[in-house]
Amino acid sequence: MARYTGPSCKLCRREGKKLFLKGDRCLTDKCAVDRRSTVPGQHGAGRKVTKEYGMQLREKQTARRYYGVQEKQFANYYVMADKKEGVAGENLLTILECRLDNIVYRMGLASSRKEARQLVRHAHFTLNGKKVDIPSIICKPGDVIAVKDKSKASEKFKALAEQMETAVIPKWIEADVQNLSAKVAVLPKREDVDFPFEEQLIIELYSK
């Protein structure tokens, strides 16, 4: 399945909630969910999710779109989460939070996960001192993510450095604003995920 390249706001409208796919725009009065909360399409106003399967599917799609993950990749994450000790739903969210592109976003070096993914793809970052360009890498405690020295001199990252100074960085990430780097201190816990997911619905969907 190819990556979705259409309007990001349609994805938020489809799920009926803000997925913050366009960064700060989602916090303004230009947000499509606030301006037009109906589901996209000719019959969108009449669509309602009432069945159990529909609720489970919508929650899975919400999580997948929130983190910008492809369908097959998301299913693989579920398999990984189910094999780990602990609660499968919480394990799944931990895996998603530990993606490299998500950590770059959490560091405050991108206004959205889409932008963070693009920055990683363009090889602006290093992971433990080595160049990296794969957004889906799952980071572990002790891993250090940093902007490449060559990239720090660009106007883009000079602006992002100012953005990082005011960003609300989660406690499981130790940020070094001066060096535009961060260390994964510990694995994120359920309470560190600031989006109101009902992850049990996702587990129920895949458990069938």
Side-chain angles (χ1 to χ4, degrees), residues 40-148:
Q42 183 178 0
H43 306 291
R47 294 182 186 174
K48 291 183 180 180
V49 176
T50 55
K51 295 184 179 179
E52 182 181 18
Y53 174 78
M55 294 173 61
Q56 294 167 349
L57 178 62
R58 294 268 57 87
E59 195 64 23
K60 185 263 293 182
Q61 291 293 77
T62 295
R64 195 172 68 77
R65 288 166 172 169
Y66 181 76
Y67 286 103
V69 178
Q70 298 277 44
E71 183 66 51
K72 184 177 180 181
Q73 198 171 38
F74 194 89
N76 289 338
Y77 289 156
Y78 163 74
V79 174
M80 291 169 58
D82 193 44
K83 289 180 179 179
K84 291 187 172 205
E85 294 183 2
V87 181
E90 294 181 8
N91 291 341
L92 177 61
L93 293 180
T94 296
I95 291 170
L96 292 167
E97 280 290 316
C98 288
R99 280 175 55 102
L100 178 58
D101 55 355
N102 181 72
I103 292 177
V104 169
Y105 168 70
R106 294 292 193 191
M107 288 168 63
L109 288 176
S111 60
S112 66
R113 289 177 179 82
K114 183 177 181 180
E115 182 183 16
R117 186 163 49 250
Q118 185 180 48
L119 291 173
V120 175
R121 282 286 189 196
H122 291 176
H124 288 296
F125 291 88
T126 61
L127 177 62
N128 298 326
K130 296 181 179 179
K131 187 181 77 171
V132 63
D133 60 1
I134 303 174
S136 61
I137 288 178
I138 306 299
C139 298
K140 307 180 294 297
D143 284 349
V144 177
I145 299 95
V147 177
K148 285 170 51 179

Side-chain angles (χ1 to χ4, degrees), residues 193-204:
V193 181
D194 54 6
F195 192 88
F197 289 113
E198 294 184 47
E199 63 272 14
Q200 186 56 35
L201 292 176
I202 303 173
I203 301 305
E204 290 172 0

Side-chain angles (χ1 to χ4, degrees), residues 155-169:
E155 292 300 320
K156 172 71 173 177
F157 278 95
K158 286 180 181 178
L160 290 175
E162 296 178 3
Q163 182 176 302
M164 186 177 179
E165 290 179 358
T166 59
V168 179
I169 301 173

